């Protein structure tokens, strides 16, 4: 099940570039906060699929659980509990504020992954 998938890896690099661009240069009220959460789970999915040939639904569900866990950790101020409140990198990676909307965006991102993967699988049958 371990192997390298160039297509997923290139897609993950592309998504990372988009995430970095929106994080650095976009300061709006919609794309940066919501688009970033939507794309980050897709990025994580592609990154995992770059190295693991795992089932779509299983991988997507684990990525969603991971994203939810990170979001819930924000509710409990995990960055502060770790003593990393002065680390910008820790605050960027782990986040600092819990939001149900973020969880909704993670869910929508994973739903798009599942839909696209199912469409791709259907087209490959022909």
């Amino acid at each position: 099940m371990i192997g390298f998938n160039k297509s997923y890896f290139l897609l993950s690099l592309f998504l990372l570039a988009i995430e970095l661009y929106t994080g650095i240069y976009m300061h709006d009220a919609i794309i940066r906060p919501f688009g970033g959460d939507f794309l980050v789970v897709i990025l994580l999915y592609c990154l995992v699929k770059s190295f693991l040939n795992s089932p779509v639904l299983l991988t997507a569900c684990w990525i969603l659980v991971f994203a939810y866990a990170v979001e819930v950790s924000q509710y409990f101020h995990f960055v502060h509990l770790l003593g990393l409140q002065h680390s910008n990198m820790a605050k960027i990676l782990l986040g600092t504020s819990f939001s149900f909307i973020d969880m909704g965006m993670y869910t929508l991102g994973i739903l798009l992954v599942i839909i696209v993967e199912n469409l791709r699988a259907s087209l490959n049958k022909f």
Side-chain angles (χ1 to χ4, degrees), residues 20-85:
L20 290 172
Y21 178 83
T22 59
I24 294 169
Y25 298 109
M26 301 209 57
H27 302 287
D28 66 332
I30 296 175
I31 295 173
R32 183 177 183 186
F34 302 119
D37 292 331
F38 180 82
L39 287 180
V40 75
V41 291
I42 301 170
L43 165 62
L44 290 172
Y45 174 85
C46 290
L47 191 60
V48 168
K49 292 290 280 183
S50 296
F51 301 101
L52 292 177
N53 185 15
S54 53
V56 169
L57 194 56
L58 179 66
T59 308
C61 287
W62 276 113
I63 294 298
L64 188 58
V65 166
F66 175 76
Y68 284 170
V70 170
E71 192 68 29
V72 169
S73 77
Q74 294 172 15
Y75 178 80
F76 294 104
H77 307 286
F78 194 58
V79 170
H80 292 281
L81 292 173
L82 294 174
L84 298 172
Q85 64 271 15

